[in-house]
Amino acid sequence: MSKQIMLYDTTLRDGTQGEQVNFSAEDKLRIAQKLDEFGIHYVEGGWPGSNPKDARFFSLAKKISFQTIRLVAFGSTRWPQTRPENDKNIKALLKTEVKTVAVFGKSWELHALQVLRVSLDENVAMVGDTVAYLKEQGREVIYDAEHFFDGYKQNPAYALKTLKTAMNGGADVVVLCDTNGGSMPDEIQRIIREVKPDLTVPFGIHAHNDCGLALSNSLVAVRSGASMVQGTINGYGERCGNTDLIPVIGNLQLKMGYQCTAEERLKQLTELSRFVSEVANIPPLNQRPFVGRSAFAHKGGVHVSAIQKNPAAYEHVNPAEVGNRRRVLVSDLSGKSNIEYKSREMDIKLGGNGYDSRRIVDKIKQLEDQGYEFDAAEGSLELLIKKVTGQFEEPFTLESFRVTIEKNRIGPSTSQATIKISVGDDNEITAAEGYGPVNALDNALRKALIKFYPCIEEMGLVDFKVRVIDGSEATAAKVRVQIESRDAREIWSTIGVSENIIEASWQALVDSVQYKLSRELKGGREMLYDTLFSDKRRG
Ligand SMILES: [Zn+2]
C-alpha cells in the first residue's frame, strides 16, 4: 500500500492573496465543489475574522454536503493579553461551525519581537492557549508554524518550543511553513531531519515559490516524512505564489509512489487546473507541467516520427493519466510524419504514398516564410490540407468588399462594411455596421451567409490577436492576425497575414467561417442546396 498524502488546498485563502486573483463567495463555492469532486482532503475556505466575504462563504457552504473535503476556517492565534474565549478572531472561527480550524502562530523571534512586539514568552503562550481552547471546543486543529524554517535558522530551540507548545496544546497536525519562500531544498531536508524526533503528531509542509522552489521543497518534505502538503491550484498566491498542487499531485502519484487521490480522479487533473483558471479569469498557462496545452505537444518532425513508434520516446507520462492530450503541431519544422498524424486526426485521407504530405509540407514552409504560423492555427491548417489535396469546395466566393471608418470631432468612430459574395449562382450584397472595421466586416459576412448557411448563427468570436512581424522593414511591416472562434462543440483558430490589417483579418475571418462550414456541411451540403433552390423555385 502506498502512503496516503493529505492534500490541503488554500486556493480560496492564500491563493486570493495573488495579485490578479479575486473570487466572490459564489466563485469560492464553485471551486470548493470542484475540489470535492477531485478528492482533495482539506479546503481552507478563508479567514472569517478578517473579512465579511469569507464569513459569507462559510454560511453559504453550510448548505452543501461535501463528499471528500473537510472545510477549514483559518485564523491567527489569540491577540496578546487577551483570553481566547474573548478574542474576536477566534469567535469568528468558531462561528463558522466547521469542524476543522487552522491557526497560524509565530515561530520566528524576529516576528514575535519586531512585528507582533510581544515578549517571547507571551508569543509561546498565545500559541498554547489558542490551540488548547480550540481543542476544548471540539475542533480538529491544524497548527501552521509560520516562518518555521526562517525561525529555526535564527534560533532552533525557540522555533521548536513554539511547535512543541502547539502539540502539547493538542494540535492534530503541525505544518512547517516556508512563508518567505527563501529556503533551499537541502535546508528543508536537514531541518526536518533535525526536528522530526520531537514531532509527536503528523506534520505538513506549506511552501511559497519565491525562489521557484516551492514544488521541490514540498516534495523533499514528503520524502522526509511530511504527510500533508498545502498549496493552491495553479500555484496562485502572494508574490511568486504558493506551491502548485497540480504538479505536486502529478509527481507524488505518478513518480514517487504516494497516494493522493483515486486513479480515476487523477484524470480530472487537467480539468481542475483549467476550471480554476477560468473562474479566476486568468488565462491558463500553456507550459504548465502535466496539464498545460503544450505539456504533450510535439513539433519537431523527428520527435513526431518517434512518438508514433512509441510515445514514451518523448513523453514522461501518458497524457491520458492526467486528463491531458497529445498534440502534434505543424510548422516549418515539421516533417511528413506531422502531416500524416494530423490528417488522420482530422479524418482527411492523403494519397500518393507520401506525395500529398510532401506537397503539404512544402506549402506550409512557403507560407511560414511569409509570416504564417500554423501551430497556433489548426483551423487554417485543416483547410490548407484540404485545399492542397483537392478535398475542399468553397462554400462561397468573395466578389468584393468595402470598409469605411468615420471619425468626427465628437463621439466614437463608426465603421461600415459592404460585402458582395456569391454562393453557387446566387449573389448576395449586404451592409453592416460594427465597433471597428473588422467587426463590421464580420457582421456583413455573417449577414450575407446566414440565409445560405443558418449554422453560422451558432459561431462566435472568442479572441482576436494582432502581431507585427517583419520588424526590420518598418514601412512594409506585415501583420499576423489570429482569430479564435467557437460554437457549442469546439474552439478553433485561424490565421491571416498581410501588410494590410483589414486584409489579414479578412483572411482569418474567412478561414474561420469556412472551417465551420466544412465541418457542418460534411455530407449535408447537397441537402441544404436542394432546400434552398426548391424554395427559390417556389418563390
Ligand atoms: Zn502562505
Side-chain angles (χ1 to χ4, degrees), residues 13-14 179 206 208 242:
R13 203 273 306 168
D14 229 359
T179 311
H206 176 113
H208 277 261
N242 285 57

Side-chain angles (χ1 to χ4, degrees), residues 334-341 343 350-364 385 388-389:
S334 313
K336 281 177 1 189
S337 18
N338 297 48
I339 298 296
E340 281 154 14
Y341 185 98
S343 304
L350 297 184
N353 232 343
Y355 171 74
D356 273 350
S357 45
R358 200 183 313 278
R359 283 197 309 150
I360 295 163
V361 171
D362 289 346
K363 185 72 187 169
I364 288 168
I385 295 178
V388 173
T389 57

Side-chain angles (χ1 to χ4, degrees), residues 274 286 292-299 304 307 315 319 324-330 338 341-342 345 374-378 493:
R274 292 181 191 172
N286 283 346
R293 227 175 142 244
S294 308
F296 300 95
H298 306 281
K299 190 159 166 179
V304 173
I307 59 146
E315 286 174 2
N324 206 344
R325 69 181 189 94
R326 178 174 305 131
R327 290 169 63 230
V328 167
L329 308 176
V330 164
N338 297 48
Y341 185 98
K342 215 64 208 173
E345 201 181 83
F374 287 96
D375 51 352
E378 291 177 332
S493 12

